[in-house]
Amino acid sequence: MLRFTRAALVALVLAGGAAGAATASADVARQVIVDDVEVEHSLNTCSGVNGTFTRTFNGVVQTVSRPDGSSLFRGRIRADDATFVPDDPSQPTYTGRETVQVSSVTSNATGVMTFVLHFWGSGTDGSSVMFKETEHMTLNQSGNAVEFEKPVVVCHDSRPDA
């Protein structure tokens, strides 16, 4: 679930790193994200059901580019209207919030990126879900990457009759 969010922010990190390498003097660029609607078809990792995930992000991303070509990228965005509507109408719809934090430090020799996503939602059937994903990637000067993902899925049912 939520691969599109990660891919979009990774693209921002890479663009920020490329901009940092070309900068002649230290520079700070900040972008405020307001009402950025994202819609994707994804999987509810708790139920295994496919559906449409929609949310409106607000937040800030910032890039610091240094004269030596190194850069620092940080972003934090939040969606308070995150909604997962399953393709199967007999399954519950989940509404809640999502937060995403991403950071990247690049130099001429290495690049290090960390991405953390949290989603909390309540289902129309009274159930609730929490999803967290952490990803870390390091690139060396040769272009070799060391990468890991650590999805942590917590699915619990808070319905009184369950």
Side-chain angles (χ1 to χ4, degrees):
M1 181 171 12
L2 316 175
R3 293 277 178 209
F4 181 79
T5 302
R6 179 174 48 125
L9 286 172
V10 168
L12 279 172
V13 168
L14 295 175
T23 302
S25 64
D27 187 30
V28 177
R30 177 174 283 171
Q31 178 183 359
V32 177
I33 299 169
V34 179
D35 295 335
D36 180 21
V37 177
E38 299 289 338
V39 179
E40 67 181 291
H41 196 259
S42 64
L43 177 72
N44 177 332
T45 52
C46 290
S47 66
V49 173
N50 286 308
T52 302
F53 194 60
T54 306
R55 63 265 197 223
T56 306
F57 286 117
N58 294 288
V60 175
V61 294
Q62 176 178 306
T63 303
V64 177
S65 302
R66 298 182 183 109
D68 65 0
S70 64
S71 67
L72 168 66
F73 176 89
R74 292 180 289 197
R76 179 164 171 81
I77 58 174
R78 178 178 172 143
D80 291 322
D81 65 346
T83 304
F84 178 83
V85 178
D87 293 343
D88 179 351
S90 70
Q91 296 292 316
T93 293
Y94 287 91
T95 57
R97 73 182 190 278
E98 178 182 16
T99 61
V100 178
Q101 296 180 55
V102 64
S103 65
S104 172
V105 177
T106 60
S107 70
N108 292 331
T110 61
V112 178
M113 183 199 73
T114 302
F115 172 88
V116 180
L117 177 143
H118 284 95
F119 170 72
W120 301 266
S122 298
T124 52
D125 64 350
S127 63
S128 59
V129 63
M130 188 280 290
F131 177 86
K132 175 183 178 181
E133 180 177 348
T134 301
E135 184 173 341
H136 179 81
M137 180 172 58
T138 301
L139 292 168
N140 65 20
Q141 193 170 17
S142 303
N144 297 323
V146 175
E147 183 176 5
F148 75 83
E149 287 185 56
K150 185 179 180 183
V152 176
V153 180
V154 176
C155 307
H156 59 279
D157 195 337
S158 59
R159 293 177 291 177
D161 60 345

